[in-house]
Structure formats: structure tokens, C-alpha cells
Amino acid sequence: MDEYSRFVDWDKMDVSAQSQDTKELSCTEFQELKQLARQGYWAKNHCLRAKVYHKLISSIPCRTVTPDANVYRDIVVKIVGKRSSSSLPLPEFVDNSLVPTYCLNAEGVGAVRKIILCIANQFPDISFCPALPAVIALLLHYSKDEAECFEQVCRILACNDPSKRLIDQTFLAFESSCMTFGDLVNKYCQAAHKLMVAVSEDVLEVYSDWQRWLFGELPMAYVARVFDVFLVEGYKVLYRVALALLKFFHKVRAGQPMESDSIQQDIRAFVRDIAKSVSPERLLEKAFAIRLFSRKEIQLLQMANEKALQQKGITVKQKRQNVHLAVHAENFKSEIVSVKEMRDIWSWIPERFALCQPLLLFTTLEHGCSLSRFYSHSEGHEPTLLLIKTTAKEVCGAYLSTDWSERRRGGNKLSFFGTGECFVFRLQPEVERYEWVIIKHPELATAGPETENHSSPAPSTLCSGSGPSEPLDRLSPFLSARHFNLPSKTASMFMAGSSECIIVGGGDGQALYLDADLNHGRTSHCNTFNNQPLCSENFQISVLEVWGFRD
């Protein structure tokens, strides 16, 4: 066997990875490396993969003083002493994580714990890093000795390129990544998300497992393929693969009863046994077929989630804290929705706002049916939640990302604003959320005398002539029209208000129009995807509520 076989139990190793072909890797261009990594060019040659890992990790920009192999040789005896490797306690920051053995032999299994302890000694700032044991265990398969593995892991941890995120090392970073993953699931895996909401009281608790699926539960052949691409493309790959895992879980288990009392345990079991249903190649194919937000937009979303957590008192020094997203039943009372229904709505909104509790700002039962009072109670709050119950017992609403005071920026004209995080939904008679795209029916706005002239945009599009610019300090990452199939920048608007009416536009052709007296309303609907309308085309409002978000 080759020089990188010291810690490998070849009886456990995938036979295809034992190839000793004399392939070499000479390319240095990112696009070519990216293509080769996705294709698995070095996946079937153990020695080549080890050399590629060494090359890629050596190119990571690091802090000036980064512990290397010589440091490990100097400290390992002092730290480990004469203790048995199996009895070495793990540092608190790994959070009782799985220490996967993959295809390691007995020496390799013991080496993982030794390296973790030495890293804890050299990186006192790490406060939470549950992925670390799996990363060390994986790299040991492709290392000549413990010291080399230690050095490679240190380079990953010491990366100082602000545009290159690799491994979360604080609870703040970890938890915000879980919230970001939840936001991505909400957009890209809606069927799976609906299942999570139905069977779990705290959806974030389920999504907090996402890194464990990759670095703990995935079999060796799969995690190595993921790591191949991760070292080339970075953190976004992890989101892609976790989303693909969730999609496959929902597809395979759809309609089947749960195998345990916990959806978390069911997903973990599915990922452990994924070879029964999905190959590594199919998993990556599915992952890269997802048209994910750009790296910059995901970074903005991550920043927004970190900011929300910091406002809740979570710091980089935090060891562990439960973050609950559920609506507190004892403090919630609505004339339109139950606690269960509000929790369902809460599962749809961006995770950073799901940390908050609902705060009733306006209700027609108390404040009357006045549009001016609607504005006066709603303005100054961002985001808000609009709930409507009709006299026919229909219940619908909208999540509105932007302060209603933005309507004034259009002067006397009915101008549109909002971001791509907005959406409309229906709760009764059936639950349905409509993805945001565009308002399709301009005739809705013609009832109001202050409607804009829409001569320039496409005939079937209602939008502002020149949408107001977004404040620079607003961390709302979904501003790019290209993600929502919009014809132009002027179409990327969602909500509008004047003294005459309110218009809220939803996806799939859904739009909601409310008269100034807040007694009447109507909807528009184009039969895209056979969706049902929000409610009756013309309806009488029984109760209308506006909810804000309280820290």
C-alpha cells in the first residue's frame, strides 16, 4: 500500500478507492479544479487524493503563526502523557459530537482524540466546533502521520481569508449557519420543510443537525466526495449537499410512517444508510442541480442571522444555548389564528425573525376599520405580518419584509416596495404558501385614483416606475430579481399603499387588494400550477390583524 495508508483499515475501505493508477493532477486553474472535483477525478486513487488534499490545504491563506507538524511533535507527549488514547476526554467545544471512525484502524481511532486535544491547546479561541472530530478522522486517512494531519487541520482552522468560510468555530457562527440552512430549506425544499413543521415542535432543532448529517452520519465514500469539492469551492457546497440529503429523505420516506419517535433520528438513520437509495454521484448531482443563491447573498443572510443572535445575547464565547423559535402559547392571543397556526406561519418566516415573539400592533376589533390607523400602528415596525379572516371563514395573510412608511417615498403615487423575502399565504380552508414573484393583474390598481402610469413595463405587470433604493444598513439579501424570474429590476416589488388602498402581491400570480375602509377586499389569481386562490375573488373582512416582532 502507499505511504498514506498508515491509519487505514483496508478491509473497511471502498474497494474502488484502492486503485493505484498513476494519475497526476497538474492543473491549477480554479474552474478546471472545480470540474475535476465534482467529477471525482481523484476519488478512486487513494494516494492521488492525499496529494490533492495536501496541495489544496497548503494553498489556504492562514494566520502568520499557524501551528505546524513540528509544534505537534513538541506538545503531544506533554498533553497526552501516558494515558490510553481511548480514555482521553474530548474538549467541551466538540459538544459531545460523534467521533466517526470511518475506515480507520485502531491506531487511527486513537490518533483522532490526541489531535483534537492538541488543537484545543493551540486554539484557545475555539468555543464550539462539533464538525472537528469528523474532519480530523477523514484527513487521517490521507496523512502520513499524526503531525501531518494536525498541520492540515490547523491550516483549515487558521484560514484568514474573509471571503473563504471553512469550519464554524463558535456557537454564534454554528447557530447562524443552522438558521441560514433553515432559510434555504424554506425556499428550496418546501415539501420537506412542510413535513418538518408537521412532525416537529421546533424546526430549528431539526435543522441544527445539518452539519452532523455531513460530518458524522454520512458514510466514508460520501463524505470524502463532499470534502473533495468543499476544499475547492468552500462552505456553500455543504449547504448544497445537506439540502440534497433532505430532498432525498423526503422523496424516499414520503407517505411512510416515521421509524422512530423523532424526525431527527429518522433523518440520521437515513443518512447513515444512504447507500441503500442514493449513490455519491447522484447525491452530488442533485446538490449541484439546486439553483442556490449566490455566495455573496448567502453571506449576507448569514450576517443577518448572526446579528439577530447577537441581539438575543449570543456571543462568540458562548458554549451552548438553546435557541427556541416556537411561539409561546401563554402570551399569544389572536381572533384569527390559533397558536398552532401561528407556529406554522413562524416556520415560514426568515429564521432571524423567528427568534422573536409576535406582538399585536393593530386589529380592526379594537382600532376600527381605518386605513390611516392601520398605517399609524404599523409604521416603525419591520417586518410585519398581515392576517385576514373573511366573513366566509377564509383565513389568509402576508409576511411583509419592509416598513409601511416606505410607501411615502413614492409621493402621491402608488409605488411598490418590499423584498423577495415577502410572501402571501392561506390557512383556511387549506394551508398554502405562495412563493414571491410578481403581481400579474394591473387592473387591481385601477380602482385607486393615484395608480401609476404603467406604460413602459410589460402589459401584464404591475410595478413601480422606479423602485425606492434599499437602505444600506438593511440586511435583506434577496434583492436580486434574477432569483425570482422577474423581467426587470422595476418588477422586483411586492407591497404598495396609499390613502385609497393597500396592494400586496404574491407569487404564482396571487395578489391581494384591500379598500380604504378595510371592510372589503378582492384577490387576483392566474391559474399557474393549478394553485387555488388565496380566498374568494371578492370578500368581506371579518377581522384584520397586523403583528410585529418583539425581541
Side-chain angles (χ1 to χ4, degrees):
M1 291 299 172
D2 60 58
E3 59 187 326
Y4 300 99
S5 300
R6 174 176 170 180
F7 303 109
V8 179
D9 183 341
W10 286 101
D11 291 335
K12 298 177 183 176
M13 199 75 164
D14 181 3
V15 67
S16 65
Q18 300 180 33
S19 167
Q20 296 300 307
D21 295 342
T22 56
K23 288 194 297 184
E24 293 293 335
L25 184 72
S26 57
C27 74
T28 56
E29 292 296 322
F30 172 76
Q31 286 301 328
E32 190 177 354
L33 270 175
K34 176 179 169 181
Q35 208 58 36
L36 292 174
R38 292 189 180 189
Q39 291 170 359
Y41 179 81
W42 51 81
K44 296 187 184 304
N45 186 308
H46 187 81
C47 183
L48 179 60
R49 178 180 260 160
K51 291 177 179 177
V52 171
Y53 281 5
H54 186 271
K55 180 178 180 178
L56 293 174
I57 294 172
S58 296
S59 68
I60 295 174
C62 295
R63 298 195 291 256
T64 305
V65 181
T66 298
D68 60 13
N70 289 328
V71 170
Y72 183 81
R73 296 185 186 103
D74 289 341
I75 66 174
V76 64
V77 176
K78 301 173 189 173
I79 292 172
V80 176
K82 296 181 179 180
R83 291 178 293 178
S84 166
S85 298
S86 60
S87 66
L88 293 174
L90 292 176
E92 187 180 354
F93 65 69
V94 301
D95 193 45
N96 297 317
S97 302
L98 289 177
V99 182
T101 58
Y102 296 132
C103 302
L104 292 175
N105 57 27
E107 183 185 5
V109 172
V112 174
R113 289 179 174 263
K114 291 162 66 177
I115 295 171
I116 291 174
L117 286 180
C118 289
I119 285 175
N121 174 268
Q122 293 295 302
F123 289 83
D125 290 341
I126 296 181
S127 58
F128 197 79
C129 192
L132 186 60
V135 172
I136 293 172
L138 175 64
L139 285 175
L140 266 175
H141 293 77
Y142 305 99
S143 300
K144 295 177 182 177
D145 55 31
E146 295 172 15
E148 183 179 89
C149 180
F150 170 85
E151 179 175 324
Q152 292 194 60
V153 176
C154 286
R155 291 194 65 84
I156 292 173
L157 293 171
C159 174
N160 62 358
D161 182 349
S163 67
K164 197 177 185 75
R165 181 182 182 141
L166 293 176
I167 296 179
D168 296 328
Q169 299 173 44
T170 67
F171 181 70
L172 178 63
F174 171 81
E175 196 67 21
S176 63
S177 76
C178 295
M179 292 168 63
T180 301
F181 179 68
D183 287 324
L184 297 175
V185 173
N186 206 348
K187 176 162 182 62
Y188 295 103
C189 305
Q190 292 185 12
H193 183 67
K194 192 172 182 180
L195 173 63
M196 302 302 128
V197 172
V199 299
S200 174
E201 288 189 7
D202 188 348
V203 179
L204 182 58
E205 188 179 346
V206 177
Y207 297 150
S208 291
D209 249 12
W210 79 278
Q211 288 193 25
R212 175 175 173 149
W213 304 340
L214 304 175
F215 297 117
E217 305 293 358
L218 264 184
M220 173 69 188
Y222 292 75
V223 72
R225 286 297 307 277
V226 173
F227 206 74
D228 292 346
V229 190
F230 165 71
L231 285 178
V232 176
E233 299 187 41
Y235 201 90
K236 185 178 175 181
V237 169
L238 304 183
Y239 284 133
R240 285 188 176 280
V241 176
L243 289 170
L245 286 171
L246 203 56
K247 282 178 175 287
F248 278 122
F249 171 79
H250 181 262
K251 180 180 179 180
V252 172
R253 297 291 175 83
Q256 298 181 16
M258 289 177 59
E259 295 184 356
S260 71
D261 295 333
S262 165
I263 189 71
Q264 280 179 288
Q265 296 299 330
D266 278 12
I267 297 175
R268 290 175 185 177
F270 171 78
V271 175
R272 278 196 301 273
D273 298 330
I274 193 169
K276 295 178 180 178
S277 50
V278 182
S279 68
E281 292 73 25
R282 182 73 184 97
L283 177 63
L284 288 179
E285 182 184 327
K286 185 78 167 178
F288 289 108
I290 300 170
R291 298 190 64 184
L292 209 57
F293 291 124
S294 71
R295 185 175 283 102
K296 182 177 180 181
E297 286 163 321
I298 291 177
Q299 186 179 16
L300 281 171
L301 181 55
Q302 187 98 13
M303 288 167 56
N305 286 331
E306 283 194 9
K307 184 177 178 182
L309 286 166
Q310 287 171 325
Q311 290 171 345
K312 285 288 182 183
I314 306 297
T315 69
V316 292
K317 296 295 184 184
Q318 203 95 25
K319 300 297 185 187
R320 186 58 150 139
Q321 177 173 323
N322 290 325
V323 179
H324 297 288
L325 305 191
V327 176
H328 295 163
E330 63 273 13
N331 299 324
F332 177 76
K333 187 172 190 290
S334 167
E335 298 300 324
I336 299 179
V337 297
S338 65
V339 173
K340 169 66 171 66
E341 289 171 323
M342 196 60 147
R343 284 176 175 164
D344 287 346
I345 297 170
W346 235 238
S347 73
W348 297 332
I349 67 177
E351 299 282 5
R352 64 188 184 277
F353 296 117
L355 292 168
C356 305
Q357 289 296 310
L359 173 67
L360 184 61
L361 303 176
F362 174 86
T363 169
T364 51
L365 294 180
E366 179 181 343
H367 302 107
C369 299
S370 163
L371 188 54
S372 62
R373 280 198 288 273
F374 170 96
Y375 288 138
S376 66
H377 283 82
S378 302
E379 287 177 5
H381 295 271
E382 182 180 284
T384 54
L385 191 68
L386 175 68
L387 296 177
I388 297 170
K389 185 175 184 179
T390 72
T391 53
K393 310 279 187 206
E394 299 162 313
V395 175
C396 62
Y399 170 79
L400 306 170
S401 66
T402 307
D403 191 332
W404 276 106
S405 62
E406 288 287 306
R407 77 187 193 283
R408 298 200 188 95
R409 301 183 68 171
N412 292 326
K413 293 182 178 181
L414 186 69
S415 60
F416 281 78
F417 50 97
T419 73
E421 289 185 310
C422 299
F423 59 86
V424 290
F425 57 87
R426 183 186 68 220
L427 294 178
Q428 297 291 343
E430 294 177 355
V431 176
E432 186 72 55
R433 184 185 66 156
Y434 299 93
E435 190 71 22
W436 176 81
V437 258
I438 192 169
I439 296 177
K440 303 264 187 186
H441 290 251
E443 68 274 9
L444 280 176
T446 57
E450 298 174 348
T451 304
E452 278 189 286
N453 181 355
H454 296 284
S455 56
S456 56
S460 63
T461 302
L462 179 63
C463 61
S464 67
S466 58
S469 61
E470 290 291 329
L472 294 177
D473 61 347
R474 178 175 298 142
L475 285 172
S476 188
F478 308 117
L479 304 178
S480 180
R482 66 191 172 86
H483 293 296
F484 302 98
N485 301 316
L486 301 179
S488 70
K489 184 177 180 180
T490 59
S492 58
M493 301 297 164
F494 184 87
M495 49 197 282
S498 69
S499 59
E500 302 294 327
C501 66
I502 287 174
I503 302 178
V504 173
D508 302 336
Q510 301 288 347
L512 188 65
Y513 173 93
L514 302 181
D515 292 333
D517 61 7
L518 297 184
N519 278 320
H520 304 86
R522 60 188 186 274
T523 62
S524 78
H525 169 66
C526 70
N527 295 317
T528 312
F529 310 125
N530 295 317
N531 281 327
Q532 295 299 310
L534 282 169
C535 56
S536 304
E537 186 174 351
N538 292 283
F539 59 86
Q540 298 278 335
I541 297 174
S542 173
V543 188
L544 182 149
E545 295 175 349
V546 179
W547 291 81
F549 294 75
R550 180 181 62 219
D551 290 337

